[in-house]
Amino acid sequence: MSSWRLSSGKLQELWRDAAEFRTVSSAGLSSGRALAVQLQRNNASEGTITVHTAAGLSLTEQAQFAQLIHGHLREAADSVERRRHWLCPHCHTPKGNEEVLMKRLERDGETARVACDACDRSIPLFDALERLLADPLLRRQAESLGAEKPQLTSRRKGKLLLLEVGARLTSANQKWQEISPDEDDGIDLQVEFTDDDGNGTGRFLYLQLKAGPSHLRRRADGREMFAIKKPRWIRAWTQQPGPVMLVIGREAPKLGKEDRVEKQRRQFAEPFDDRYETRAFPDVRWMEISSVLQQQMVSGLRPEEIKQIEFVGETLDMASVLRWRNRIVLGARCA
Ligand SMILES: [Zn+2]
């Protein structure tokens, strides 16, 4: 099994005009390049992507690559049609009309055959490459090659939400710092409230950040529920030296193509028009969860028995941050 090393960086590059790829096994080839992908724009919304493979690249690698490309295109495009070229295995003459050949292959499957235009001998359309493409094991391997992307995306999403929340805290003139960015220990960020001169007060708030609406489930009665996947989160949330807030960021809605064009046009004409949201998380809400969970534990529930919590969040904005500051800093002073 080989992995793909993308010399052009990202698969998004596919949407530019060409990209080259190397495989680990092709690194020794004199040309250095094993595969090339070329995009031909047929019109504004349609294009043809052609994959060229170097001689000497194994059929398995060719098939994996075709699967990987096809999988990504299926995600990105409205409709994808695969074409391929066939050569006569006897005299190597190309066989024409790919659209017709593909239909024959779809119709006749493993028994699909056509005659060579040059030597008249029989060309099996379901050849070794098609057999590999139809192999479910290979399909799964190709999918796992492509699976790296969503993970990166979710880490990046988490980082974007952290920056958004940090910006809101900073604009309310409060101090904050990220806590153990690589560990999923239930707390992502620590806020230290400041006094009127901007100095730290030693009074803290702890934040757990969750990016994306998938963390909330709306019940039939309209209540939003947050599923607590790990009991150890509950231990972390109930054992901090200050209140713990659950913060949920909702992403900006994905824009359709026409919306994107309109957004670009408007931003050019009116740069400060905020009708088209540019932040990744325009909607960030938070709620205090530590006392809610402490109450449930006082009433006899063990952390393993608490599976969800109703999320009744308020918008995390400057006013809300300052309300919490007053509650905690002034509340401590009065006590
Ligand atoms: Zn032939």
Side-chain angles (χ1 to χ4, degrees), residues 87-94 115-123:
L87 297 180
C88 169
H90 313 288
C91 70
H92 306 289
T93 305
C116 173
D117 300 323
C119 73
D120 239 9
R121 281 185 278 185
S122 168
I123 305 175

Side-chain angles (χ1 to χ4, degrees), residues 211-279:
S214 62
H215 296 283
L216 292 180
R217 192 174 54 83
R218 192 179 284 280
R219 304 198 323 185
D221 61 7
R223 290 161 60 187
E224 286 186 296
M225 308 304 289
F226 174 81
I228 299 171
K229 291 181 189 124
K230 295 169 187 167
R232 66 185 166 82
W233 287 352
I234 295 181
R235 293 196 182 88
W237 294 340
T238 51
Q239 289 168 8
Q240 300 301 323
V244 174
M245 312 288 293
L246 174 61
V247 181
I248 296 189
R250 201 183 295 269
E251 290 154 282
K254 286 217 164 54
L255 300 177
K257 190 160 63 185
E258 280 166 29
D259 294 331
R260 280 199 299 270
V261 171
E262 179 66 8
K263 174 182 162 182
Q264 278 177 354
R265 195 186 69 74
R266 277 176 188 277
Q267 279 180 341
F268 189 69
E270 303 161 68
F272 298 102
D273 184 349
D274 59 1
R275 261 172 292 177
Y276 288 85
E277 192 53 65
T278 51
R279 286 175 301 172

Side-chain angles (χ1 to χ4, degrees), residues 40-326:
Q40 180 200 330
R41 290 163 205 277
N42 300 353
N43 58 48
S45 60
E46 282 174 27
T48 306
I49 283 181
T50 313
V51 179
H52 308 270
T53 59
L57 192 70
S58 78
L59 268 184
T60 309
E61 285 176 316
Q62 291 182 35
Q64 281 175 343
F65 192 71
Q67 296 276 27
L68 185 65
I69 300 277
H70 196 73
H72 277 277
L73 291 179
R74 249 195 335 241
E75 273 176 37
D78 294 335
S79 71
V80 181
E81 240 176 82
R82 182 173 72 93
R83 300 271 167 85
R84 67 158 281 196
H85 310 282
W86 276 272
L87 297 180
C88 169
H90 313 288
C91 70
H92 306 289
T93 305
K95 179 71 190 174
N97 206 328
E98 291 143 21
E99 202 178 337
V100 171
L101 295 179
M102 199 50 103
K103 286 209 177 95
R104 292 276 293 261
L105 178 64
E106 278 161 17
R107 193 190 67 196
D108 299 340
E110 295 187 26
T111 60
R113 286 176 171 279
V114 289
C116 173
D117 300 323
C119 73
D120 239 9
R121 281 185 278 185
S122 168
I123 305 175
L125 296 180
F126 193 82
D127 56 9
L129 183 60
E130 291 303 315
R131 194 164 292 121
L132 278 171
L133 286 172
D135 182 348
L137 177 66
L138 185 96
R139 193 163 296 196
R140 279 202 302 278
Q141 286 170 345
E143 279 163 10
S144 72
L145 287 175
E148 228 174 313
K149 199 178 92 185
Q151 279 171 13
L152 278 176
T153 309
S154 97
R155 250 175 58 190
R156 230 184 35 226
K157 255 190 214 169
K159 190 82 193 167
L160 283 172
L161 179 58
L162 182 92
L163 293 172
E164 174 68 37
V165 169
R168 294 180 188 209
L169 293 166
T170 302
S171 71
N173 204 26
Q174 305 305 307
K175 295 180 172 184
W176 63 275
Q177 69 176 54
E178 185 177 11
I179 294 178
S180 53
D182 294 325
E183 279 167 46
D184 180 26
D185 61 1
I187 302 290
D188 299 301
L189 193 155
Q190 182 193 55
V191 184
E192 183 179 8
F193 290 115
T194 57
D195 61 20
D196 295 338
D197 299 323
N199 299 315
T201 58
R203 299 283 164 184
F204 299 99
L205 204 56
Y206 298 86
L207 272 53
Q208 162 89 92
L209 310 184
K210 293 289 177 193
S214 62
H215 296 283
L216 292 180
R217 192 174 54 83
R218 192 179 284 280
R219 304 198 323 185
D221 61 7
R223 290 161 60 187
E224 286 186 296
M225 308 304 289
F226 174 81
I228 299 171
K229 291 181 189 124
K230 295 169 187 167
R232 66 185 166 82
W233 287 352
I234 295 181
R235 293 196 182 88
W237 294 340
T238 51
Q239 289 168 8
Q240 300 301 323
V244 174
M245 312 288 293
L246 174 61
V247 181
I248 296 189
R250 201 183 295 269
E251 290 154 282
K254 286 217 164 54
L255 300 177
K257 190 160 63 185
E258 280 166 29
D259 294 331
R260 280 199 299 270
V261 171
E262 179 66 8
K263 174 182 162 182
Q264 278 177 354
R265 195 186 69 74
R266 277 176 188 277
Q267 279 180 341
F268 189 69
E270 303 161 68
F272 298 102
D273 184 349
D274 59 1
R275 261 172 292 177
Y276 288 85
E277 192 53 65
T278 51
R279 286 175 301 172
F281 292 94
D283 173 26
V284 182
R285 291 182 295 153
W286 64 344
M287 93 175 255
E288 194 268 322
I289 52 170
S290 40
S291 66
V292 179
L293 291 167
Q294 274 155 2
Q295 275 167 22
Q296 295 193 11
M297 286 165 73
V298 165
S299 74
L301 285 175
R302 287 178 298 119
E304 290 74 16
E305 294 168 316
I306 307 174
K307 299 289 183 205
Q308 57 181 5
I309 186 170
E310 184 183 359
F311 186 74
V312 195
E314 59 173 345
T315 299
L316 199 177
D317 55 13
M318 193 191 294
S320 166
V321 172
L322 294 177
R323 270 198 303 277
W324 270 101
R325 169 184 173 265
N326 292 345

